[in-house]
Coordinates of all heavy atoms in Angstrom, one line a residue:
G435 N 75.4 26.7 64.2 CA 76.5 26.4 65.0 C 77.3 27.5 65.4 O 77.2 28.6 64.7
K436 N 78.2 27.4 66.2 CA 79.2 28.3 66.6 C 80.3 28.5 65.6 O 80.7 27.5 65.0 CB 79.8 27.9 67.9 CG 78.8 27.9 69.1 CD 79.4 27.6 70.3 CE 78.4 27.7 71.5 NZ 79.0 27.4 72.8
P437 N 81.0 29.7 65.4 CA 82.1 29.8 64.6 C 83.3 29.1 65.1 O 83.4 28.9 66.3 CB 82.3 31.3 64.5 CG 81.6 31.8 65.7 CD 80.5 30.9 66.0
L438 N 84.2 28.8 64.2 CA 85.4 28.1 64.5 C 86.6 29.0 64.0 O 86.5 29.6 63.0 CB 85.6 26.7 63.8 CG 84.5 25.7 64.2 CD1 84.6 24.5 63.2 CD2 84.8 25.2 65.6
G439 N 87.7 28.9 64.7 CA 88.9 29.6 64.4 C 90.0 28.6 64.4 O 90.1 27.8 65.4
A440 N 90.9 28.8 63.4 CA 92.2 27.8 63.4 C 93.2 28.5 62.8 O 93.1 29.3 61.8 CB 91.8 26.5 62.7
C441 N 94.5 28.4 63.4 CA 95.6 28.9 62.7 C 96.8 27.9 62.6 O 96.7 26.9 63.3 CB 96.1 30.2 63.4 SG 96.6 30.0 65.1
C442 N 97.8 28.3 62.0 CA 99.0 27.5 61.8 C 98.6 26.2 61.0 O 98.0 26.2 60.0 CB 99.8 27.2 63.1 SG 101.4 26.9 62.9
I443 N 98.9 25.0 61.6 CA 98.7 23.7 60.9 C 97.2 23.2 61.1 O 96.7 22.4 60.5 CB 99.7 22.7 61.3 CG1 99.6 21.4 60.4 CG2 99.5 22.2 62.8 CD1 100.0 21.7 59.0
A444 N 96.6 23.8 62.1 CA 95.2 23.3 62.6 C 94.2 23.4 61.4 O 93.3 22.4 61.4 CB 94.8 24.1 63.8
P445 N 94.2 24.3 60.4 CA 93.2 24.1 59.4 C 93.2 22.8 58.6 O 92.1 22.4 58.0 CB 93.5 25.4 58.5 CG 94.1 26.3 59.4 CD 95.0 25.5 60.3
T446 N 94.3 22.1 58.7 CA 94.4 20.8 57.9 C 93.3 19.8 58.7 O 92.8 19.0 57.9 CB 95.8 20.2 57.8 OG1 96.2 20.1 59.2 CG2 96.7 21.1 57.0
I447 N 93.1 20.0 60.0 CA 92.2 19.0 60.7 C 90.8 19.4 60.2 O 90.0 18.5 60.0 CB 92.4 19.2 62.2 CG1 93.8 18.7 62.6 CG2 91.4 18.5 63.0 CD1 94.1 19.2 64.0
L448 N 90.5 20.6 60.1 CA 89.2 21.1 59.6 C 88.9 20.6 58.1 O 87.8 20.4 57.9 CB 89.0 22.5 59.7 CG 89.1 23.1 61.1 CD1 89.0 24.7 61.2 CD2 88.0 22.6 62.0
A449 N 90.0 20.5 57.3 CA 89.7 20.0 56.0 C 89.2 18.6 56.0 O 88.4 18.2 55.2 CB 91.0 20.1 55.2
K450 N 89.7 17.8 57.0 CA 89.3 16.4 57.1 C 87.9 16.3 57.8 O 87.2 15.4 57.5 CB 90.3 15.7 58.0 CG 90.2 14.2 58.1 CD 90.4 13.5 56.7 CE 90.3 12.0 57.0 NZ 90.5 11.2 55.7
T451 N 87.6 17.2 58.6 CA 86.3 17.1 59.5 C 85.2 17.9 59.0 O 84.1 17.6 59.4 CB 86.6 17.4 61.0 OG1 87.1 18.8 61.1 CG2 87.6 16.4 61.5
V452 N 85.4 19.0 58.1 CA 84.3 19.8 57.6 C 84.4 19.7 56.1 O 85.2 20.4 55.5 CB 84.6 21.2 58.1 CG1 83.3 22.1 57.6 CG2 84.5 21.3 59.6
P453 N 83.6 18.8 55.4 CA 83.7 18.7 54.1 C 83.5 19.9 53.3 O 82.7 20.9 53.7 CB 82.5 17.7 53.7 CG 82.2 17.1 55.1 CD 82.5 18.0 56.2
S454 N 84.3 20.1 52.3 CA 84.3 21.3 51.4 C 84.6 22.6 52.1 O 84.3 23.7 51.5 CB 83.0 21.4 50.6 OG 81.9 21.8 51.4
A455 N 85.2 22.6 53.3 CA 85.5 23.9 53.9 C 86.6 24.6 53.1 O 87.5 24.0 52.5 CB 86.1 23.6 55.3
S456 N 86.6 25.9 53.0 CA 87.6 26.7 52.4 C 88.5 27.3 53.5 O 87.9 27.8 54.5 CB 87.1 27.8 51.4 OG 86.3 28.7 52.1
L457 N 89.8 27.0 53.4 CA 90.8 27.3 54.5 C 92.0 27.9 54.0 O 92.4 27.8 52.9 CB 91.0 26.0 55.2 CG 89.8 25.1 55.7 CD1 90.2 23.7 55.8 CD2 89.2 25.7 56.9
T458 N 92.8 28.4 54.9 CA 94.2 28.9 54.6 C 95.2 28.4 55.6 O 94.9 28.3 56.7 CB 94.2 30.4 54.5 OG1 95.5 30.7 53.7 CG2 94.2 31.1 55.7
V459 N 96.4 28.1 55.1 CA 97.6 27.9 55.9 C 98.7 28.8 55.3 O 99.9 28.6 55.4 CB 98.1 26.4 55.9 CG1 97.1 25.6 56.7 CG2 98.2 25.9 54.5
G460 N 98.3 29.8 54.5 CA 99.2 30.8 53.9 C 99.3 30.5 52.4 O 98.3 30.6 51.7
Q461 N 100.6 30.3 51.9 CA 100.8 30.2 50.5 C 101.0 28.8 50.0 O 101.6 27.9 50.8 CB 102.0 31.0 50.1 CG 101.9 32.5 50.3 CD 101.0 33.1 49.2 OE1 101.1 32.8 48.0 NE2 100.0 33.8 49.7
S462 N 100.5 28.4 48.9 CA 100.6 27.1 48.3 C 101.8 26.9 47.4 O 102.1 25.7 47.0 CB 99.4 26.7 47.6 OG 99.1 27.6 46.5
S463 N 102.5 28.1 47.1 CA 103.7 27.9 46.3 C 104.6 29.0 46.6 O 104.3 29.9 47.4 CB 103.3 27.9 44.8 OG 102.6 29.2 44.5
G464 N 105.8 29.1 45.9 CA 106.7 30.1 46.2 C 108.0 29.6 46.9 O 108.2 28.4 46.9
S465 N 108.7 30.5 47.4 CA 110.0 30.1 48.0 C 109.7 29.3 49.3 O 109.0 29.6 50.2 CB 110.7 31.3 48.4 OG 111.9 30.9 49.2
E466 N 110.4 28.1 49.4 CA 110.3 27.2 50.6 C 111.1 27.8 51.7 O 110.9 27.4 52.9 CB 110.6 25.8 50.2 CG 109.6 25.1 49.4 CD 109.9 23.6 49.4 OE1 110.7 23.1 50.1 OE2 109.2 22.9 48.6
D467 N 112.0 28.7 51.5 CA 112.7 29.5 52.6 C 111.7 30.3 53.3 O 111.9 30.6 54.5 CB 113.8 30.3 52.0 CG 115.0 29.4 51.5 OD1 115.1 28.2 51.9 OD2 115.7 29.9 50.6
V468 N 110.7 30.9 52.6 CA 109.7 31.8 53.2 C 108.5 31.0 53.7 O 108.1 31.2 54.8 CB 109.3 32.8 52.2 CG1 108.3 33.8 52.7 CG2 110.5 33.6 51.6
W469 N 108.0 30.1 52.9 CA 106.8 29.3 53.2 C 107.2 27.8 53.3 O 107.0 27.1 52.4 CB 105.7 29.5 52.3 CG 105.2 30.9 52.4 CD1 105.4 31.9 51.5 CD2 104.2 31.4 53.2 NE1 104.7 33.1 51.9 CE2 103.8 32.7 53.0 CE3 103.3 30.8 54.3 CZ2 103.0 33.5 53.6 CZ3 102.4 31.5 55.0 CH2 102.3 32.9 54.6
P470 N 107.9 27.4 54.3 CA 108.5 26.0 54.3 C 107.5 24.9 54.4 O 107.8 23.7 54.1 CB 109.4 26.0 55.6 CG 108.9 27.1 56.5 CD 108.3 28.1 55.5
Y471 N 106.3 25.2 54.8 CA 105.2 24.2 55.0 C 104.1 24.3 53.9 O 102.9 23.9 54.2 CB 104.6 24.3 56.4 CG 105.7 24.3 57.5 CD1 106.0 25.5 58.1 CD2 106.5 23.1 57.8 CE1 107.0 25.5 59.0 CE2 107.5 23.2 58.6 CZ 107.8 24.3 59.3 OH 108.8 24.4 60.3
Q472 N 104.5 24.8 52.8 CA 103.4 25.1 51.8 C 102.7 23.8 51.3 O 101.6 23.9 50.8 CB 104.0 25.9 50.7 CG 105.1 25.2 49.9 CD 105.8 26.1 49.0 OE1 105.4 26.1 47.8 NE2 106.8 26.9 49.4
G473 N 103.3 22.6 51.6 CA 102.7 21.4 51.2 C 101.4 21.1 51.9 O 100.6 20.3 51.5
A474 N 101.3 21.7 53.1 CA 99.9 21.6 53.8 C 98.7 22.1 53.0 O 97.6 21.6 53.2 CB 100.1 22.3 55.2
A475 N 99.0 23.1 52.1 CA 98.0 23.6 51.3 C 97.5 22.4 50.4 O 96.2 22.2 50.2 CB 98.4 24.8 50.5
G476 N 98.3 21.6 49.8 CA 98.0 20.5 49.0 C 97.3 19.5 49.8 O 96.4 18.8 49.2
A477 N 97.7 19.3 51.1 CA 97.0 18.4 51.9 C 95.6 18.7 52.2 O 94.7 17.8 52.2 CB 97.7 18.2 53.2
I478 N 95.3 20.0 52.3 CA 93.9 20.5 52.5 C 93.0 20.1 51.3 O 92.0 19.6 51.4 CB 94.0 22.0 52.8 CG1 94.4 22.3 54.2 CG2 92.5 22.7 52.6 CD1 94.6 23.8 54.6
N479 N 93.6 20.4 50.1 CA 92.9 20.0 48.9 C 92.6 18.6 48.7 O 91.6 18.1 48.4 CB 93.6 20.6 47.6 CG 93.6 22.2 47.7 OD1 92.7 22.8 48.1 ND2 94.6 22.8 47.1
A480 N 93.7 17.7 49.1 CA 93.6 16.3 49.0 C 92.5 15.7 49.9 O 92.0 14.7 49.7 CB 95.0 15.7 49.2
M481 N 92.4 16.3 51.1 CA 91.4 15.9 52.1 C 90.0 16.4 51.8 O 89.1 16.1 52.6 CB 91.8 16.2 53.5 CG 93.0 15.5 54.0 SD 93.4 15.7 55.6 CE 94.4 17.3 55.5
G482 N 89.8 17.1 50.7 CA 88.4 17.6 50.3 C 88.1 19.0 50.7 O 86.9 19.5 50.4
G483 N 89.0 19.7 51.2 CA 88.9 21.1 51.5 C 89.3 21.9 50.2 O 89.7 21.4 49.3
K484 N 89.3 23.2 50.4 CA 89.7 24.1 49.3 C 90.7 25.2 49.9 O 90.2 25.9 50.9 CB 88.6 24.8 48.7 CG 89.0 25.9 47.6 CD 87.9 26.6 47.1 CE 88.3 27.5 46.0 NZ 88.7 28.8 46.4
H485 N 92.0 25.0 49.6 CA 92.9 26.1 50.1 C 92.9 27.3 49.4 O 92.7 27.5 48.2 CB 94.3 25.5 50.0 CG 95.3 26.4 50.7 ND1 96.0 27.4 49.9 CD2 95.6 26.6 51.9 CE1 96.8 28.1 50.8 NE2 96.6 27.6 52.0
V486 N 92.9 28.4 50.2 CA 92.9 29.8 49.6 C 94.2 30.5 50.1 O 94.6 30.5 51.3 CB 91.7 30.6 50.2 CG1 91.8 32.0 49.6 CG2 90.4 29.9 49.8
D487 N 95.0 30.9 49.1 CA 96.2 31.5 49.4 C 96.0 32.9 50.1 O 95.2 33.7 49.7 CB 97.1 31.8 48.1 CG 97.8 30.6 47.6 OD1 97.8 29.5 48.3 OD2 98.4 30.6 46.5
T488 N 96.8 33.1 51.2 CA 96.8 34.4 51.9 C 98.2 34.7 52.2 O 99.2 33.9 52.4 CB 95.9 34.4 53.1 OG1 96.4 33.4 54.1 CG2 94.5 34.2 52.9
E489 N 98.4 36.0 52.5 CA 99.8 36.5 53.1 C 99.8 36.3 54.6 O 98.7 36.0 55.1 CB 100.0 37.9 52.6 CG 100.3 38.0 51.1 CD 101.5 37.3 50.7 OE1 102.5 37.1 51.5 OE2 101.6 36.9 49.5
I490 N 100.9 36.5 55.2 CA 101.0 36.3 56.7 C 100.0 37.3 57.4 O 99.5 37.0 58.4 CB 102.4 36.5 57.1 CG1 102.6 36.1 58.6 CG2 103.0 37.9 56.9 CD1 102.3 34.8 59.0
D491 N 99.8 38.5 56.8 CA 99.0 39.4 57.5 C 97.5 39.3 57.1 O 96.6 40.1 57.5 CB 99.4 40.8 57.2 CG 99.4 41.3 55.8 OD1 99.2 40.4 54.9 OD2 99.6 42.4 55.6
G492 N 97.2 38.2 56.4 CA 95.8 38.0 56.0 C 95.1 36.8 56.7 O 95.8 36.2 57.5
F493 N 93.9 36.7 56.5 CA 93.1 35.5 57.0 C 92.0 35.2 56.0 O 91.8 35.9 55.0 CB 92.6 35.8 58.3 CG 91.5 37.0 58.3 CD1 90.2 37.0 58.1 CD2 92.1 38.3 58.5 CE1 89.4 38.0 58.0 CE2 91.2 39.5 58.5 CZ 89.9 39.3 58.2
H494 N 91.4 34.0 56.1 CA 90.3 33.7 55.2 C 89.1 33.4 56.1 O 89.1 32.6 57.1 CB 90.7 32.5 54.5 CG 89.6 32.0 53.5 ND1 89.2 32.7 52.5 CD2 88.9 30.9 53.6 CE1 88.2 32.1 51.9 NE2 87.9 31.0 52.7
V495 N 87.9 33.8 55.6 CA 86.7 33.6 56.2 C 85.9 32.6 55.3 O 85.6 33.0 54.1 CB 85.9 34.8 56.5 CG1 84.6 34.5 57.2 CG2 86.7 35.7 57.5
D496 N 85.5 31.5 55.7 CA 84.6 30.6 55.1 C 83.2 30.9 55.7 O 82.9 30.3 56.8 CB 85.0 29.1 55.3 CG 84.0 28.2 54.6 OD1 82.8 28.5 54.3 OD2 84.4 27.0 54.4
E497 N 82.4 31.7 55.1 CA 81.1 32.1 55.6 C 80.2 31.0 55.7 O 79.4 30.9 56.7 CB 80.6 33.3 54.8 CG 81.4 34.6 55.1 CD 80.8 35.8 54.4 OE1 79.6 35.9 54.2 OE2 81.6 36.7 54.1
A498 N 80.2 30.2 54.8 CA 79.2 29.1 54.7 C 79.3 28.1 55.9 O 78.4 27.6 56.5 CB 79.3 28.3 53.5
N499 N 80.6 27.8 56.3 CA 80.9 27.0 57.4 C 81.2 27.7 58.8 O 81.6 27.0 59.7 CB 82.0 26.0 57.0 CG 81.6 25.1 55.9 OD1 80.6 24.3 56.1 ND2 82.2 25.1 54.8
K500 N 81.3 29.0 58.8 CA 81.6 29.9 59.9 C 82.9 29.5 60.5 O 83.1 29.2 61.7 CB 80.5 29.7 61.0 CG 79.1 30.1 60.6 CD 78.2 30.0 61.7 CE 76.8 30.3 61.3 NZ 75.8 30.2 62.3
I501 N 84.0 29.4 59.5 CA 85.4 29.1 59.9 C 86.2 30.3 59.4 O 86.2 30.8 58.4 CB 85.9 27.9 59.2 CG1 85.0 26.7 59.6 CG2 87.3 27.7 59.5 CD1 85.2 25.5 58.8
V502 N 87.1 30.7 60.4 CA 88.2 31.7 60.1 C 89.5 31.1 60.3 O 89.8 30.5 61.4 CB 88.1 33.0 61.1 CG1 89.1 34.0 60.8 CG2 86.6 33.6 61.0
T503 N 90.4 31.2 59.3 CA 91.7 30.6 59.4 C 92.9 31.6 59.0 O 92.5 32.5 58.3 CB 91.9 29.4 58.5 OG1 91.4 29.7 57.2 CG2 91.0 28.2 59.0
S504 N 94.0 31.4 59.6 CA 95.2 32.3 59.3 C 96.4 31.4 59.3 O 96.4 30.3 59.9 CB 95.2 33.4 60.2 OG 95.6 33.0 61.5
A505 N 97.5 31.9 58.7 CA 98.8 31.1 58.5 C 99.6 30.9 59.9 O 100.2 29.9 60.0 CB 99.5 31.6 57.4
A506 N 99.7 31.9 60.6 CA 100.6 32.0 61.8 C 102.0 31.5 61.5 O 102.7 32.1 60.6 CB 100.0 31.3 63.0
Y507 N 102.5 30.5 62.1 CA 103.8 30.0 62.0 C 104.1 29.1 60.7 O 105.1 28.5 60.7 CB 104.3 29.3 63.3 CG 104.6 30.2 64.4 CD1 103.7 30.5 65.4 CD2 105.8 30.9 64.3 CE1 104.1 31.4 66.4 CE2 106.2 31.8 65.4 CZ 105.4 32.0 66.4 OH 105.7 32.8 67.4
M508 N 103.2 29.1 59.7 CA 103.4 28.4 58.6 C 104.4 29.1 57.6 O 104.9 28.5 56.8 CB 102.1 28.1 57.8 CG 101.1 27.3 58.6 SD 101.8 25.6 59.0 CE 101.6 24.8 57.5
K509 N 104.6 30.4 58.0 CA 105.6 31.2 57.2 C 106.8 31.4 58.2 O 106.7 31.4 59.4 CB 105.0 32.6 57.0 CG 106.0 33.4 56.2 CD 105.4 34.8 55.8 CE 106.5 35.6 55.0 NZ 106.0 36.9 54.8
N510 N 107.9 31.4 57.6 CA 109.1 31.6 58.2 C 109.2 33.1 58.6 O 109.8 34.0 57.8 CB 110.3 31.2 57.4 CG 111.6 31.4 58.2 OD1 111.6 31.5 59.4 ND2 112.8 31.2 57.5
A511 N 108.4 33.6 59.5 CA 108.2 35.0 59.8 C 108.6 35.4 61.2 O 109.0 34.6 62.0 CB 106.7 35.3 59.8
T512 N 108.7 36.7 61.4 CA 109.1 37.2 62.7 C 108.0 37.0 63.7 O 106.8 37.0 63.3 CB 109.5 38.8 62.6 OG1 108.3 39.5 62.3 CG2 110.6 39.0 61.6
P513 N 108.3 37.0 65.0 CA 107.2 36.9 66.0 C 106.2 38.1 65.9 O 105.0 37.8 66.0 CB 108.0 37.0 67.4 CG 109.2 36.4 67.1 CD 109.6 36.9 65.7
S514 N 106.6 39.2 65.5 CA 105.7 40.4 65.4 C 104.7 40.1 64.2 O 103.6 40.5 64.2 CB 106.4 41.7 65.3 OG 107.1 41.7 64.1
E515 N 105.2 39.5 63.1 CA 104.4 39.2 61.9 C 103.4 38.2 62.3 O 102.2 38.4 61.9 CB 105.2 38.7 60.7 CG 106.0 39.8 60.1 CD 106.9 39.2 58.9 OE1 107.7 38.3 59.2 OE2 106.8 39.7 57.8
V516 N 103.7 37.1 63.0 CA 102.8 36.1 63.5 C 101.8 36.7 64.4 O 100.6 36.4 64.3 CB 103.6 34.9 64.1 CG1 102.6 33.9 64.7 CG2 104.5 34.3 63.1
H517 N 102.2 37.5 65.4 CA 101.2 38.2 66.2 C 100.2 39.0 65.5 O 99.1 38.9 65.8 CB 102.0 39.0 67.3 CG 101.0 39.7 68.2 ND1 100.4 40.9 68.0 CD2 100.5 39.3 69.4 CE1 99.7 41.2 69.0 NE2 99.5 40.2 69.8
N518 N 100.6 39.7 64.5 CA 99.8 40.6 63.7 C 98.8 39.7 63.0 O 97.7 40.1 62.6 CB 100.5 41.5 62.8 CG 101.2 42.6 63.5 OD1 100.9 42.9 64.7 ND2 102.3 43.1 62.8
S519 N 99.2 38.4 62.7 CA 98.4 37.5 62.0 C 97.2 36.9 62.8 O 96.1 36.7 62.4 CB 99.2 36.4 61.4 OG 98.4 35.3 60.9
V520 N 97.6 36.6 64.1 CA 96.6 35.9 65.0 C 96.4 36.7 66.3 O 95.5 36.2 67.0 CB 97.1 34.5 65.2 CG1 97.2 33.7 64.0 CG2 98.4 34.4 65.9
G521 N 97.1 37.7 66.6 CA 96.9 38.3 67.8 C 95.7 39.1 68.0 O 95.0 39.4 67.0
L522 N 95.3 39.4 69.1 CA 94.1 40.2 69.4 C 94.3 41.7 69.5 O 95.2 42.2 70.0 CB 93.5 39.9 70.7 CG 93.0 38.4 70.8 CD1 92.5 38.1 72.1 CD2 91.9 38.1 69.8

């Protein structure tokens, strides 16, 4: 199959539709002022996926399922930090 890419909150959809996918939406713990949507990481795990913590400038590759994910606006970050996360 073709590779998939998802950023921001979209990896949670893949957790529901691709069993056992490993995905990221950034950090699963820490300051809610910095990562206000970290609860989405728990939702990924609850739906059968596996959340992998990454920083804003990181991404995660699930080679088995051909999925690349990144946090984007899940962090309270500057536009340039988000662009560096998902921009070309």
Side-chain angles (χ1 to χ4, degrees):
K436 294 182 180 182
L438 297 171
C441 64
C442 206
I443 194 67
T446 57
I447 297 168
L448 294 176
K450 186 72 172 174
T451 59
V452 181
S454 73
S456 62
L457 310 158
T458 192
V459 289
Q461 294 290 308
S462 59
S463 62
S465 171
E466 288 194 9
D467 290 337
V468 178
W469 291 96
Y471 310 107
Q472 58 190 271
I478 286 173
N479 293 330
M481 289 187 279
K484 178 181 182 274
H485 183 264
V486 177
D487 281 352
T488 59
E489 291 297 330
I490 188 65
D491 60 351
F493 59 91
H494 177 70
V495 178
D496 176 343
E497 292 186 24
N499 292 301
K500 298 182 182 175
I501 300 171
V502 179
T503 51
S504 69
Y507 282 101
M508 298 301 281
K509 181 180 181 185
N510 187 11
T512 66
S514 65
E515 287 177 304
V516 173
H517 179 271
N518 291 339
S519 172
V520 297
L522 297 177

